Amino acid sequence: MTALLVLEDGRVFEGTPYGAVGETFGEMVFNTGMTGYQETLTDPSYHRQIVAMTAPHIGNTGVNDEDPESGRVWVAGYVVREPSRIPSNWRSRRTLDDYLRDQGVVGIAMPGTRALTRHLRERGAMRAGVFSEGGDIGELVERVRRSPGMEGADLAREVSTAEPYVVPARGRKRFTVAAVDLGIKAMTPERMSERGCEVHVLPATVTAADILALDPDGVFFSNGPGDPATADYAVESLREVLDAGVPFFGICFGNQILGRALGLGTYKLRYGHRGVNQPVQDRRTGKVEISAHNHGFAVRAPLDGPFETPYGAAEVSHVNLNDDCVEGLRLLDRPAFSVQYHPEAAAGPHDAAYLFDEFCELMERRRERGSGAQRVSPPASEAQSFGAPQARRSATEDTDDKKGAKGA
């Protein structure tokens, strides 16, 4: 059988079926990670996207039962160059091909993944379809063009938990965290649990009243799929959380929601950042972190210094050194910050794990100063040392968790 990958601009790639046989539609994107394919497949942020892996060999370590980031595969389709014929790993339970078939994920193995990636870098992410049994090219292109795009797509509610659940703290409980699930990855509450946080994971549409009813020490907004311009419900909740002065930490989609809550705009990147090798600079320390990414939208914010918001002064805390994309925001007069990348490192490097420690520091400082305190950011004299990566070792560096040192 000859499978086809058809892009909305008429470009067509040929290959062989991989995974389930059928047809699928989604936004065509690429991931530059050399590892972490299982985490990629199960990351809710990839909902309604066809993902091409730029690493040439995929499936070498098979699929295990420990590494999924959610209870199912979320990608709409999967594109690889050369699937592994024989997986080899002591934790492997099944082949990637079998896993994709069991999950109903239509894929294609084809020799043109490098050409596809170059095409997307030049033309931008676009709609696409994978067709296991081929078909008339003209008709398939038209069907792809009629499929929904990513701009204007409200997807966080489609991937969020339907009911609240709790991830208990490991060891002594230090804090209670209310985590709004906009597409959360399983490792994120685990990273907080390692630090003594009892994490209450809540649906995407939860109200601020329900969040604050938990009397949390801190509030967290997760990563997630879709266009942040559609998530007014999350923006409204976050604004009330900021009004209450509760420490806030956001990742990825949560960073975009914080941006909107501050009155900033968002925009769609040409082809996005997806992989485990993006260089991000912490503007407080000048240190460069190699970081894991998965986003197609970004926040538009001034890069030349602090700017005013309805919640006081704010600043861009991190920037991407490849394209100057905003990678982090921080309020200077309230306990709130966010980053566009993924410090939970599943899969990916552990450079940014210290951000979970910073969140815990904010919660500790608020507790020490009383719930009515508004200014918990450090004075200028402390800014250089506050949260500096070299000042601490993360729980990930000190002990291997159940997943091992993935992606390192």
Side-chain angles (χ1 to χ4, degrees):
M1 296 173 63
T2 298
L4 298 177
L5 170 63
V6 180
L7 304 184
E8 70 172 284
D9 66 356
R11 184 79 183 265
V12 178
F13 297 85
E14 292 188 0
T16 57
Y18 184 57
V21 172
E23 60 183 38
T24 190
F25 299 88
E27 182 185 46
M28 187 72 246
V29 300
F30 60 88
N31 182 298
T32 59
M34 295 182 67
T35 186
Y37 57 82
Q38 190 170 330
E39 293 88 342
T40 294
L41 290 166
T42 55
D43 180 351
S45 292
Y46 281 111
H47 178 42
R48 228 169 71 183
Q49 291 181 321
I50 300 172
V51 180
M53 303 298 292
T54 62
H57 299 137
I58 298 296
N60 292 348
T61 56
V63 173
N64 61 54
D65 296 328
E66 294 78 33
D67 290 350
E69 287 300 309
S70 66
R72 54 164 285 189
V73 170
W74 284 103
V75 302
Y78 206 47
V79 181
V80 301
R81 182 180 186 273
E82 186 176 342
S84 174
R85 294 185 298 274
I86 303 175
S88 177
N89 186 272
W90 66 275
R91 295 192 301 157
S92 178
R93 297 293 180 266
R94 60 197 68 86
T95 69
L96 179 55
D97 190 22
D98 288 341
Y99 183 55
L100 294 175
R101 279 200 298 270
D102 292 343
Q103 294 274 327
V105 179
V106 177
I108 179 173
M110 62 183 216
T113 52
R114 181 182 293 273
L116 171 64
T117 301
R118 290 174 62 90
H119 188 77
L120 296 176
R121 284 179 60 89
E122 293 171 1
R123 306 290 182 89
M126 63 184 74
R127 291 169 294 182
V130 178
F131 305 90
S132 299
E133 299 177 338
D136 179 78
I137 300 299
E139 179 184 345
L140 297 180
V141 170
E142 287 304 313
R143 292 182 64 196
V144 168
R145 290 173 178 170
R146 291 196 299 268
S147 65
M150 194 57 66
E151 288 185 277
D154 180 9
L155 302 182
R157 287 189 278 199
E158 295 183 11
V159 303
S160 181
T161 181
E163 299 292 336
Y165 62 92
V166 177
V167 179
R170 294 193 192 178
R172 180 178 65 89
K173 176 186 171 182
R174 298 172 60 206
F175 307 109
T176 298
V177 173
V180 178
D181 176 8
L182 303 170
I184 200 167
K185 296 170 68 177
M187 184 53 75
T188 305
E190 284 294 323
R191 291 289 182 244
M192 288 186 271
S193 172
E194 292 169 351
R195 291 161 171 80
C197 299
E198 179 182 273
V199 185
H200 293 249
V201 183
L202 308 172
T205 55
V206 66
T207 65
D210 290 334
I211 293 173
L212 298 176
L214 294 172
D215 192 23
D217 297 294
V219 175
F220 172 80
F221 274 35
S222 79
N223 61 290
D227 188 342
T230 66
D232 293 343
Y233 47 91
V235 174
E236 181 180 347
S237 294
L238 179 53
R239 283 175 175 161
E240 294 187 44
V241 168
L242 295 177
D243 285 335
V246 180
F248 170 78
F249 177 30
I251 287 177
C252 198
F253 202 83
N255 177 70
Q256 297 158 14
I257 297 302
L258 177 60
R260 287 199 56 203
L262 299 182
L264 302 171
T266 58
Y267 65 99
K268 195 174 191 301
L269 294 166
R270 186 174 187 181
Y271 49 82
H273 302 155
R274 298 174 181 89
V276 296
N277 52 2
Q278 293 280 330
V280 167
Q281 185 177 52
D282 185 335
R283 303 180 91 190
R284 298 167 300 168
T285 65
K287 183 172 182 177
V288 177
E289 305 163 10
I290 301 303
S291 57
H293 282 238
N294 176 16
H295 66 112
F297 291 84
V299 176
R300 197 183 304 277
L303 299 177
D304 55 355
F307 54 92
E308 287 302 314
T309 78
Y311 303 95
E315 66 181 3
V316 173
S317 59
H318 297 75
V319 294
N320 190 301
L321 295 184
N322 285 338
D323 59 6
D324 288 333
C325 174
V326 172
E327 295 286 358
L329 298 168
R330 182 177 296 273
L331 281 172
L332 302 182
D333 299 306
R334 292 176 188 252
F337 73 103
S338 60
V339 292
Q340 186 59 62
Y341 50 104
H342 285 263
E344 80 283 345
H350 298 150
D351 296 26
Y354 71 93
L355 292 167
F356 292 106
D357 298 318
E358 287 200 5
F359 185 40
C360 290
E361 288 179 11
L362 283 185
M363 292 188 286
E364 184 65 38
R365 291 182 183 193
R366 179 176 183 265
R367 178 178 291 176
E368 291 174 353
R369 300 184 186 190
S371 60
Q374 289 294 306
R375 182 171 184 88
V376 298
S377 297
S381 61
E382 298 178 16
Q384 183 67 20
S385 60
F386 176 73
Q390 62 270 28
R392 63 173 64 84
R393 287 179 59 81
S394 71
T396 306
E397 293 172 304
D398 289 335
T399 60
D400 289 336
D401 61 26
K402 64 180 181 180
K403 292 189 176 182
K406 299 184 310 179

